[in-house]
Amino acid sequence: MHATAVKRGQQKDRLFLSAIGYVLLIVMAILCIVPFWIVLASSFNDENEIRLHGYSLFPKLFSTEAYRIIFEFPESILRAYGVTITVTVISTVLGLFLTAMTAYVLCRKDFKWRNHFAFYFFFTTLFSGGLVPWYLLIVNYLDLKDKLIVLILPTLVNVFNMLVMRSFMNGIPDAISESAKIDGAGDFRIFVSLILPLSKPALATIGLFIALSHWNDWYMALLFISDEKLVPLQYYLYKMLGNLEGMRDAVLGSGSGVTVTIPGESLKMAMTVVATGPIILAYPFIQKYFVKGLTIGAVKG
């Protein structure tokens, strides 16, 4: 009887702790969702309402003016979307493959120079040549200005991602590679057929990091792109916002007394929705791999 009572008490304690855990998770989920919901609601709110009453959970005066301005020239924004999607897909695939291949070489215990190369890669994260030499290299020597590859090649491999991938691959048993070698498989075959499938959580995690960095990048376009046909989405929205703010300042500074309402805050919110929407839709498909890979990488790092 005593043991049964103890067991029931333990079950109640577990249920109580589980209930607390679920409540905390729900609260945290709400805290994460509310900011984006405010952004979405504000993008459909009237500009004057935002200035008078601030941000709210629901639009007080529904307006699509911000989206009308963004999509006023649909061919331009669709072209910017196309550039961003192209750059993101190519950079993610190539960057992920090169990162994984480099990490695999560095984690091979039969490669005696692995620690020297790892230190060389890590050293580049501490010191760099600076912006001016880098710009001259890209423009004058590599001749990549106003070419789509300039948005891909200079940031193709990230050392931090490579070290995380290396840390994950160190946990793969060496017996798998050794058994494959006995069967006659070469290094590249082992990498493609065995190591990559076993590294799916880390690949999903690093792939998301790479995709996000290229999707949100506007700085490379600011430095190296002047051709309107090669402008990515983030830089296109950045330029649009700058032009509208310059127009508003010019009207106010002219002293003509003309009242012009140009969406500012609502336009920023609408740009956020337009820029982050596709990434948010893609995230649920890789969430389970992302969480597992990030956890394993953190533990082994």
Side-chain angles (χ1 to χ4, degrees), residues 36-52:
F36 186 77
W37 179 260
I38 292 176
V39 170
L40 182 62
S42 300
S43 68
F44 287 103
N45 203 359
D46 184 72
E47 179 68 17
N48 292 327
E49 288 293 327
I50 295 178
R51 293 180 180 178
L52 291 176

Side-chain angles (χ1 to χ4, degrees), residues 164 167-169 171 201-202 205 290-301:
V164 172
S167 177
F168 182 89
M169 288 183 177
T205 305
F290 174 73
V291 173
K292 183 178 178 182
L294 186 62
T295 304
I296 293 177
V299 171
K300 290 187 176 299

Side-chain angles (χ1 to χ4, degrees), residues 66-87:
Y67 290 97
R68 187 195 66 79
I69 293 176
I70 293 177
F71 293 99
E72 186 174 4
F73 302 100
E75 65 281 358
S76 299
I77 195 166
L78 289 177
R79 184 171 59 241
Y81 255 117
V83 172
T84 297
I85 292 174
T86 302
V87 170

Side-chain angles (χ1 to χ4, degrees), residues 223-290:
L223 291 177
F224 303 114
I225 298 296
S226 58
D227 187 354
E228 293 295 330
K229 296 181 179 180
L230 298 177
V231 171
L233 178 64
Q234 301 289 351
Y235 187 52
Y236 175 82
L237 297 176
Y238 172 80
K239 289 177 61 178
M240 178 185 293
L241 183 62
N243 293 336
L244 289 175
E245 290 182 349
M247 185 187 305
R248 182 174 58 189
D249 294 340
V251 171
L252 294 176
S254 64
S256 59
V258 179
T259 303
V260 179
T261 302
I262 299 177
E265 299 303 320
S266 61
L267 183 63
K268 294 177 183 177
M269 301 298 106
M271 288 180 175
T272 303
V273 174
V274 170
T276 59
I279 292 295
I280 292 177
L281 294 177
Y283 178 75
F285 296 100
I286 59 175
Q287 179 184 8
K288 61 178 182 179
Y289 295 113
F290 174 73

Side-chain angles (χ1 to χ4, degrees), residues 31-201:
L31 292 177
C32 293
I33 292 174
V34 166
F36 186 77
W37 179 260
I38 292 176
V39 170
L40 182 62
S42 300
S43 68
F44 287 103
N45 203 359
D46 184 72
E47 179 68 17
N48 292 327
E49 288 293 327
I50 295 178
R51 293 180 180 178
L52 291 176
H53 303 102
Y55 300 108
S56 58
L57 291 174
F58 299 96
K60 295 183 178 180
L61 183 59
F62 188 84
S63 174
T64 59
E65 182 65 16
Y67 290 97
R68 187 195 66 79
I69 293 176
I70 293 177
F71 293 99
E72 186 174 4
F73 302 100
E75 65 281 358
S76 299
I77 195 166
L78 289 177
R79 184 171 59 241
Y81 255 117
V83 172
T84 297
I85 292 174
T86 302
V87 170
T88 301
V89 171
I90 295 176
S91 299
T92 302
V93 173
L94 291 181
L96 197 57
F97 184 75
L98 293 176
T99 300
M101 190 158 48
T102 307
Y104 174 62
V105 173
L106 294 180
C107 75
R108 288 280 299 269
K109 295 180 175 58
D110 56 345
F111 179 48
K112 66 177 182 178
W113 298 101
R114 65 184 186 278
N115 292 329
H116 298 81
F117 277 93
F119 176 77
Y120 169 76
F121 287 124
F122 176 72
F123 187 81
T124 61
T125 65
L126 304 177
F127 303 97
S128 65
L131 177 60
V132 174
W134 182 62
Y135 181 86
L136 294 176
L137 173 66
I138 300 295
V139 175
N140 294 347
Y141 293 94
L142 299 181
D143 192 25
L144 297 181
K145 185 175 176 61
D146 283 331
K147 295 179 181 177
L148 189 64
I149 194 174
V150 78
L151 302 176
I152 301 173
L153 186 61
T155 56
L156 194 59
V157 177
N158 183 278
V159 176
F160 172 78
N161 295 338
M162 183 183 63
L163 295 178
V164 172
M165 184 71 72
R166 178 199 180 192
S167 177
F168 182 89
M169 288 183 177
N170 279 330
I172 299 177
D174 296 334
I176 296 177
S177 300
E178 293 173 358
S179 62
K181 285 184 178 180
I182 294 174
D183 293 335
D187 290 330
F188 189 76
R189 179 65 182 275
I190 294 173
F191 170 70
V192 173
S193 301
L194 296 176
I195 302 301
L196 287 184
L198 292 173
S199 303
K200 283 183 180 179

